[in-house]
Amino acid sequence: MARLEQSLKQSEEFIAEAAHRVRTPLATVRSYAEATLQRVQKQENRDALRSMMRAIDESSRAAGQLLDHAMVTFRAENLEREDIDLDGLLCELVQRMSPVAEMRDVALHLESAGPAIIHGDAVLLQNAFRNLIDNALKYAPIETTITIRVQKTPRISVDVIDQGRGFVPDEMDKLAGRFVRGGDTGDHIGSGLGLTIAQDVAHAHDGTMILSNRSEGGACVTLLF
Ligand SMILES: Nc1ncnc2c1ncn2[C@@H]1O[C@H](COP(=O)(O)OP(=O)(O)OP(=O)(O)O)[C@@H](O)[C@H]1O
Ligand SMILES: [Mg+2]
């Protein structure tokens, strides 16, 4: 057990270190590109720099999501379960994500039903919900509300509900696939791994992920435990 624990810790440290080593130089290149954009006047050069910044943002996002996905796969195979209060975990996550939501004038509203205890891995669960809230922030318009609803009956479930355009119905059964993105993502940067991560985390906890559109508009992603 001690050897297994040591090997788990080393792999996780490796993943975190890898993420850091890929993203740090990308952040440096991005800041150079941004500073150069301030000095460059010619339109075609400005366009080239903007494309470069977008490609850097895409690489950085892809590196982060790939390494998160690796971490989730790894932890899911070696699941260390403990009693976790989903309500408390979500409350903390909502607080942590509020600054980003505020920048978009989006309200994050946690609708709780008191402590909801599941036997699971807090790191994985946080990662799954972060991806779902991140999607709601990305694909729903500014000045709207994202509701995170925790229910305890008949089973413990969490809905992440937004007021955006919802999922394209024809695409819904494919979106949880690896690297799959919707056809209407517009300018939003992404690598098509967020829903894969959330679904893998649900499965690791013997749960399921359900995508739906609400009749009043907006997307709803449910993790059912
Ligand atoms: N809340 C939402 N409203 C509308 N469409 C959504 C929503 N969440 C996800 N989608 C659609 O599902 C697709 C897959 O989502 P997923 O989170 O897996 O990837 P992504 O957001 O494109 O990239 P990333 O890996 O960076 O999260 C998105 O590209 C988008 O088309
Ligand atoms: Mg996403």
Side-chain angles (χ1 to χ4, degrees), residues 30-62:
R30 196 192 195 284
S31 58
Y32 279 125
E34 215 173 344
T36 312
L37 187 63
Q38 307 296 323
R39 296 196 300 267
V40 165
Q41 302 301 330
K42 216 168 147 191
Q43 195 55 42
E44 60 184 281
N45 291 342
R46 293 182 67 80
D47 292 347
L49 279 166
R50 284 217 180 82
S51 310
M52 194 171 142
M53 279 159 63
R54 190 180 165 86
I56 295 165
D57 289 345
E58 272 168 2
S59 311
S60 180
R61 176 71 185 173

Short mmCIF file of all heavy atoms in Angstrom, two decimals, residues 30-62:
data_model
loop_
_atom_site.label_atom_id
_atom_site.label_comp_id
_atom_site.label_asym_id
_atom_site.label_seq_id
_atom_site.Cartn_x
_atom_site.Cartn_y
_atom_site.Cartn_z
N ARG A 30 3.21 34.61 -24.88
CA ARG A 30 1.98 35.40 -25.02
C ARG A 30 2.20 36.84 -24.58
O ARG A 30 1.75 37.78 -25.23
CB ARG A 30 0.84 34.79 -24.21
CG ARG A 30 -0.50 35.36 -24.66
CD ARG A 30 -1.61 35.01 -23.73
NE ARG A 30 -2.91 35.26 -24.35
CZ ARG A 30 -3.45 36.46 -24.50
NH1 ARG A 30 -2.78 37.56 -24.11
NH2 ARG A 30 -4.62 36.62 -25.07
N SER A 31 2.91 37.02 -23.48
CA SER A 31 3.10 38.41 -23.02
C SER A 31 3.98 39.20 -23.98
O SER A 31 3.77 40.39 -24.19
CB SER A 31 3.61 38.45 -21.57
OG SER A 31 4.80 37.76 -21.48
N TYR A 32 4.96 38.53 -24.62
CA TYR A 32 5.76 39.22 -25.66
C TYR A 32 4.87 39.62 -26.82
O TYR A 32 4.96 40.74 -27.34
CB TYR A 32 6.89 38.31 -26.17
CG TYR A 32 8.10 38.29 -25.27
CD1 TYR A 32 8.61 37.09 -24.78
CD2 TYR A 32 8.76 39.47 -24.92
CE1 TYR A 32 9.72 37.06 -23.96
CE2 TYR A 32 9.87 39.45 -24.10
CZ TYR A 32 10.35 38.24 -23.62
OH TYR A 32 11.44 38.22 -22.81
N ALA A 33 4.02 38.70 -27.25
CA ALA A 33 3.13 38.99 -28.39
C ALA A 33 2.21 40.16 -28.05
O ALA A 33 2.00 41.07 -28.87
CB ALA A 33 2.33 37.75 -28.74
N GLU A 34 1.70 40.17 -26.82
CA GLU A 34 0.79 41.23 -26.40
C GLU A 34 1.50 42.58 -26.35
O GLU A 34 0.98 43.59 -26.82
CB GLU A 34 0.25 40.87 -25.01
CG GLU A 34 -1.17 41.31 -24.83
CD GLU A 34 -1.76 40.81 -23.53
OE1 GLU A 34 -1.19 39.90 -22.90
OE2 GLU A 34 -2.79 41.37 -23.14
N ALA A 35 2.74 42.58 -25.84
CA ALA A 35 3.51 43.82 -25.76
C ALA A 35 3.84 44.32 -27.16
O ALA A 35 3.78 45.53 -27.43
CB ALA A 35 4.79 43.57 -24.96
N THR A 36 4.16 43.40 -28.07
CA THR A 36 4.50 43.79 -29.44
C THR A 36 3.27 44.39 -30.13
O THR A 36 3.38 45.37 -30.88
CB THR A 36 5.02 42.56 -30.24
OG1 THR A 36 6.00 41.91 -29.45
CG2 THR A 36 5.64 42.97 -31.55
N LEU A 37 2.10 43.82 -29.84
CA LEU A 37 0.87 44.33 -30.44
C LEU A 37 0.64 45.82 -30.11
O LEU A 37 0.12 46.58 -30.92
CB LEU A 37 -0.33 43.48 -29.95
CG LEU A 37 -1.68 43.76 -30.59
CD1 LEU A 37 -1.66 43.45 -32.08
CD2 LEU A 37 -2.77 42.93 -29.91
N GLN A 38 1.08 46.23 -28.93
CA GLN A 38 0.94 47.65 -28.54
C GLN A 38 1.78 48.56 -29.43
O GLN A 38 1.46 49.72 -29.62
CB GLN A 38 1.40 47.88 -27.08
CG GLN A 38 0.77 46.98 -26.04
CD GLN A 38 -0.73 47.20 -25.94
OE1 GLN A 38 -1.20 48.32 -26.05
NE2 GLN A 38 -1.46 46.12 -25.77
N ARG A 39 2.90 48.02 -29.96
CA ARG A 39 3.82 48.86 -30.71
C ARG A 39 3.62 48.80 -32.22
O ARG A 39 4.09 49.67 -32.94
CB ARG A 39 5.27 48.42 -30.41
CG ARG A 39 5.69 48.59 -28.97
CD ARG A 39 7.20 48.51 -28.85
NE ARG A 39 7.71 47.24 -29.32
CZ ARG A 39 7.92 46.19 -28.54
NH1 ARG A 39 7.69 46.29 -27.25
NH2 ARG A 39 8.39 45.08 -29.02
N VAL A 40 2.95 47.77 -32.69
CA VAL A 40 2.85 47.55 -34.14
C VAL A 40 1.63 48.29 -34.70
O VAL A 40 0.56 48.26 -34.11
CB VAL A 40 2.75 46.02 -34.40
CG1 VAL A 40 2.29 45.74 -35.80
CG2 VAL A 40 4.09 45.38 -34.13
N GLN A 41 1.83 48.98 -35.83
CA GLN A 41 0.73 49.77 -36.42
C GLN A 41 0.09 49.09 -37.62
O GLN A 41 -1.12 49.15 -37.81
CB GLN A 41 1.25 51.15 -36.87
CG GLN A 41 1.90 52.00 -35.78
CD GLN A 41 0.94 52.27 -34.63
OE1 GLN A 41 -0.28 52.35 -34.82
NE2 GLN A 41 1.48 52.41 -33.42
N LYS A 42 0.93 48.45 -38.45
CA LYS A 42 0.46 47.90 -39.72
C LYS A 42 -0.59 46.82 -39.47
O LYS A 42 -0.36 45.89 -38.70
CB LYS A 42 1.67 47.31 -40.46
CG LYS A 42 1.62 47.50 -41.94
CD LYS A 42 2.96 47.15 -42.52
CE LYS A 42 2.79 46.55 -43.89
NZ LYS A 42 4.05 45.97 -44.36
N GLN A 43 -1.73 46.95 -40.17
CA GLN A 43 -2.86 46.04 -39.90
C GLN A 43 -2.51 44.57 -40.06
O GLN A 43 -2.87 43.74 -39.23
CB GLN A 43 -4.05 46.43 -40.80
CG GLN A 43 -5.36 45.81 -40.37
CD GLN A 43 -5.73 46.12 -38.90
OE1 GLN A 43 -5.55 47.23 -38.42
NE2 GLN A 43 -6.18 45.10 -38.17
N GLU A 44 -1.76 44.24 -41.15
CA GLU A 44 -1.49 42.81 -41.36
C GLU A 44 -0.59 42.24 -40.26
O GLU A 44 -0.74 41.08 -39.88
CB GLU A 44 -0.92 42.54 -42.76
CG GLU A 44 0.39 43.25 -43.05
CD GLU A 44 0.83 43.02 -44.48
OE1 GLU A 44 1.37 41.94 -44.77
OE2 GLU A 44 0.63 43.94 -45.30
N ASN A 45 0.29 43.06 -39.73
CA ASN A 45 1.13 42.59 -38.62
C ASN A 45 0.31 42.43 -37.35
O ASN A 45 0.50 41.48 -36.58
CB ASN A 45 2.28 43.58 -38.35
CG ASN A 45 3.29 43.56 -39.49
OD1 ASN A 45 3.31 42.62 -40.27
ND2 ASN A 45 4.10 44.59 -39.58
N ARG A 46 -0.63 43.36 -37.16
CA ARG A 46 -1.50 43.26 -35.97
C ARG A 46 -2.35 41.99 -36.05
O ARG A 46 -2.51 41.26 -35.08
CB ARG A 46 -2.42 44.50 -35.87
CG ARG A 46 -1.68 45.80 -35.59
CD ARG A 46 -2.64 46.96 -35.46
NE ARG A 46 -3.48 46.84 -34.27
CZ ARG A 46 -3.09 47.16 -33.04
NH1 ARG A 46 -1.87 47.62 -32.85
NH2 ARG A 46 -3.91 47.03 -32.03
N ASP A 47 -2.87 41.69 -37.26
CA ASP A 47 -3.68 40.48 -37.44
C ASP A 47 -2.85 39.23 -37.16
O ASP A 47 -3.33 38.29 -36.52
CB ASP A 47 -4.26 40.42 -38.86
CG ASP A 47 -5.30 41.51 -39.09
OD1 ASP A 47 -5.73 42.12 -38.09
OD2 ASP A 47 -5.66 41.76 -40.26
N ALA A 48 -1.61 39.25 -37.65
CA ALA A 48 -0.74 38.08 -37.45
C ALA A 48 -0.49 37.87 -35.95
O ALA A 48 -0.54 36.74 -35.46
CB ALA A 48 0.58 38.29 -38.18
N LEU A 49 -0.26 38.98 -35.24
CA LEU A 49 -0.01 38.86 -33.80
C LEU A 49 -1.25 38.35 -33.06
O LEU A 49 -1.15 37.53 -32.14
CB LEU A 49 0.41 40.22 -33.22
CG LEU A 49 1.89 40.56 -33.43
CD1 LEU A 49 2.14 42.02 -33.16
CD2 LEU A 49 2.77 39.68 -32.54
N ARG A 50 -2.42 38.82 -33.49
CA ARG A 50 -3.66 38.36 -32.85
C ARG A 50 -3.85 36.85 -33.08
O ARG A 50 -4.24 36.13 -32.17
CB ARG A 50 -4.87 39.13 -33.39
CG ARG A 50 -4.95 40.52 -32.81
CD ARG A 50 -6.39 40.95 -32.54
NE ARG A 50 -6.38 42.28 -31.97
CZ ARG A 50 -6.29 43.40 -32.68
NH1 ARG A 50 -6.23 43.35 -33.99
NH2 ARG A 50 -6.28 44.57 -32.07
N SER A 51 -3.57 36.39 -34.32
CA SER A 51 -3.70 34.95 -34.60
C SER A 51 -2.71 34.16 -33.73
O SER A 51 -3.02 33.08 -33.24
CB SER A 51 -3.38 34.62 -36.05
OG SER A 51 -4.09 35.43 -36.90
N MET A 52 -1.52 34.76 -33.58
CA MET A 52 -0.50 34.09 -32.77
C MET A 52 -0.98 33.96 -31.32
O MET A 52 -0.86 32.90 -30.70
CB MET A 52 0.75 34.97 -32.82
CG MET A 52 1.99 34.33 -32.34
SD MET A 52 3.32 35.49 -32.79
CE MET A 52 4.32 35.31 -31.37
N MET A 53 -1.57 35.03 -30.79
CA MET A 53 -2.05 35.00 -29.40
C MET A 53 -3.16 33.97 -29.23
O MET A 53 -3.23 33.26 -28.24
CB MET A 53 -2.51 36.39 -28.96
CG MET A 53 -1.34 37.27 -28.54
SD MET A 53 -1.70 39.02 -28.60
CE MET A 53 -2.97 39.15 -27.40
N ARG A 54 -4.01 33.87 -30.25
CA ARG A 54 -5.10 32.90 -30.17
C ARG A 54 -4.55 31.47 -30.18
O ARG A 54 -4.98 30.61 -29.42
CB ARG A 54 -6.06 33.11 -31.35
CG ARG A 54 -7.30 32.31 -31.18
CD ARG A 54 -8.33 32.44 -32.26
NE ARG A 54 -9.25 31.35 -32.11
CZ ARG A 54 -10.31 31.37 -31.31
NH1 ARG A 54 -10.59 32.45 -30.61
NH2 ARG A 54 -11.09 30.32 -31.20
N ALA A 55 -3.56 31.25 -31.05
CA ALA A 55 -2.95 29.91 -31.12
C ALA A 55 -2.28 29.56 -29.79
O ALA A 55 -2.36 28.42 -29.32
CB ALA A 55 -1.95 29.84 -32.27
N ILE A 56 -1.66 30.56 -29.17
CA ILE A 56 -1.02 30.32 -27.86
C ILE A 56 -2.09 29.98 -26.82
O ILE A 56 -1.93 29.05 -26.04
CB ILE A 56 -0.20 31.56 -27.42
CG1 ILE A 56 0.97 31.79 -28.37
CG2 ILE A 56 0.31 31.38 -25.99
CD1 ILE A 56 1.61 33.16 -28.24
N ASP A 57 -3.19 30.74 -26.82
CA ASP A 57 -4.28 30.46 -25.87
C ASP A 57 -4.83 29.06 -26.08
O ASP A 57 -5.12 28.34 -25.12
CB ASP A 57 -5.41 31.49 -26.02
CG ASP A 57 -4.99 32.86 -25.51
OD1 ASP A 57 -3.97 32.94 -24.79
OD2 ASP A 57 -5.67 33.85 -25.83
N GLU A 58 -4.97 28.66 -27.36
CA GLU A 58 -5.49 27.32 -27.65
C GLU A 58 -4.53 26.25 -27.14
O GLU A 58 -4.95 25.26 -26.54
CB GLU A 58 -5.72 27.15 -29.16
CG GLU A 58 -7.11 27.61 -29.55
CD GLU A 58 -7.31 27.72 -31.05
OE1 GLU A 58 -6.38 27.41 -31.82
OE2 GLU A 58 -8.42 28.14 -31.44
N SER A 59 -3.22 26.46 -27.37
CA SER A 59 -2.23 25.47 -26.91
C SER A 59 -2.24 25.37 -25.41
O SER A 59 -2.17 24.28 -24.84
CB SER A 59 -0.82 25.86 -27.34
OG SER A 59 -0.79 26.18 -28.67
N SER A 60 -2.32 26.52 -24.76
CA SER A 60 -2.27 26.54 -23.31
C SER A 60 -3.50 25.83 -22.72
O SER A 60 -3.39 25.01 -21.79
CB SER A 60 -2.20 27.99 -22.84
OG SER A 60 -2.15 28.05 -21.47
N ARG A 61 -4.67 26.11 -23.30
CA ARG A 61 -5.89 25.44 -22.85
C ARG A 61 -5.80 23.93 -23.09
O ARG A 61 -6.14 23.13 -22.23
CB ARG A 61 -7.10 26.03 -23.60
CG ARG A 61 -8.43 25.37 -23.31
CD ARG A 61 -8.92 25.69 -21.91
NE ARG A 61 -10.13 24.98 -21.58
CZ ARG A 61 -10.69 24.98 -20.38
NH1 ARG A 61 -10.13 25.63 -19.40
NH2 ARG A 61 -11.79 24.31 -20.13
N ALA A 62 -5.32 23.56 -24.29
CA ALA A 62 -5.23 22.14 -24.62
C ALA A 62 -4.28 21.44 -23.65
O ALA A 62 -4.58 20.34 -23.16
CB ALA A 62 -4.76 21.96 -26.06
#
